[in-house]
Amino acid sequence: MNVVAALPKGLAFGFLAFAIDCGDGGEATDAGPDVGASDARVDATADATGDATADASDAAADAPIDAPLDANLSPTSQQILAVRNAASSSQDAGALALPIDGATVTYVKPLVGNEPAGFFIQAEKTGPAIFVAVDPSTLSPAPVAGDQVSFTVTGATSVSFLREVTSLTAFARTAQGVPLAPLLQDVSSASDLVSNVEGYESEYVTLGATVKSPFGTVQTGFAQAQIETTGLTGNAALNLRLRTPQTVK
């Protein structure tokens, strides 16, 4: 079988319906965890010396989140990156208080199989981006693509190395109908979709691809097949796969 894959224009690259998988049967994941950081924790029962030591240690742990993470990123992108770093950390990943101000919703993902419903947020064309694994129907107003949203992240984790928000508070929509075209990356000619998957994780992309193998079942409700693009062909594309809901396939 050698057909041109018909993909929706604009995909959030990662753990979602219409995901591109990089690896034998796995989801699109990053290459490895980042160094994370935790919220400050002070033992109220400790003596003054112990409290001072704990405060100093916690302040150092908070620094990667509180300080600018990349001077080249917008403030909102820095906030998203801070959440991604926290999601990669084993320290207090479920007890956070990290703000996200004015991020754009690029895609709303329905519940498929055993994968959660949620939505993707991003602020700049080349990311960073993150998946919010919170059912949109539980939020008010329910987010839709093109919304600009703000909230406080209270929990984050990594699932098969994919960073995601697991809980939040103070959700608000600050704008509607934000154009998504400025965020859309055409990755058809990218040669590092497999080797640098972390660089595209959860980001809003479009591509042209050719299906190079029969579709096989992978996970509940999904099918996958090897694909090739302009930038990845032959042996270099062996671990590049299109994963899509069975109903779409």
Side-chain angles (χ1 to χ4, degrees):
M1 177 173 62
N2 185 18
V3 298
V4 175
L7 306 180
K9 185 174 182 180
L11 310 176
F13 190 96
F15 190 62
L16 75 161
F18 317 111
I20 296 173
D21 287 348
C22 298
D24 294 329
E27 291 87 15
T29 61
D30 68 79
D34 292 339
V35 177
S38 67
D39 283 349
R41 292 181 296 172
V42 178
D43 186 349
T45 63
D47 59 22
T49 301
D51 284 344
T53 301
D55 285 342
S57 176
D58 289 334
D62 275 342
I65 285 180
D66 296 334
L69 296 161
D70 187 332
N72 296 317
L73 295 177
S74 71
T76 303
S77 288
Q78 289 187 27
Q79 291 174 332
I80 294 172
L81 183 56
V83 175
R84 284 173 56 84
N85 288 347
S88 298
S89 172
S90 61
Q91 301 178 355
D92 290 348
L96 303 172
L98 299 175
I100 298 288
D101 298 315
T104 299
V105 176
T106 56
Y107 183 79
V108 177
K109 175 189 174 299
L111 174 69
V112 179
N114 60 359
E115 292 189 6
F119 56 99
F120 293 80
I121 58 169
Q122 192 168 332
E124 297 180 71
K125 185 172 185 176
T126 56
I130 197 166
F131 176 55
V132 181
V134 175
D135 189 340
S137 68
T138 65
L139 301 174
S140 181
V144 299
D147 280 355
Q148 188 177 77
V149 298
S150 296
F151 51 88
T152 298
V153 175
T154 56
T157 192
S158 293
V159 178
S160 298
F161 297 111
L162 177 86
R163 274 67 69 94
E164 59 184 49
V165 173
T166 55
S167 61
L168 57 84
T169 61
F171 180 84
R173 178 177 9 184
T174 55
Q176 293 179 275
V178 176
L180 296 180
L183 296 178
L184 187 61
Q185 299 177 72
D186 189 334
V187 297
S188 301
S189 60
S191 60
D192 62 347
L193 294 181
V194 174
S195 61
N196 183 36
V197 66
E198 180 180 1
Y200 299 96
E201 181 189 320
S202 296
E203 294 175 15
Y204 191 53
V205 304
T206 184
L207 58 76
T210 301
V211 177
K212 299 297 290 186
S213 71
F215 277 91
T217 300
V218 55
Q219 300 177 302
T220 303
F222 289 92
Q224 73 164 10
Q226 182 195 348
I227 60 173
E228 289 187 351
T229 65
T230 303
L232 281 175
T233 60
N235 289 337
L238 290 178
N239 289 327
L240 183 63
R241 290 178 170 81
L242 170 70
R243 183 173 65 104
T244 181
Q246 286 281 6
T247 53
V248 176
K249 174 253 180 177

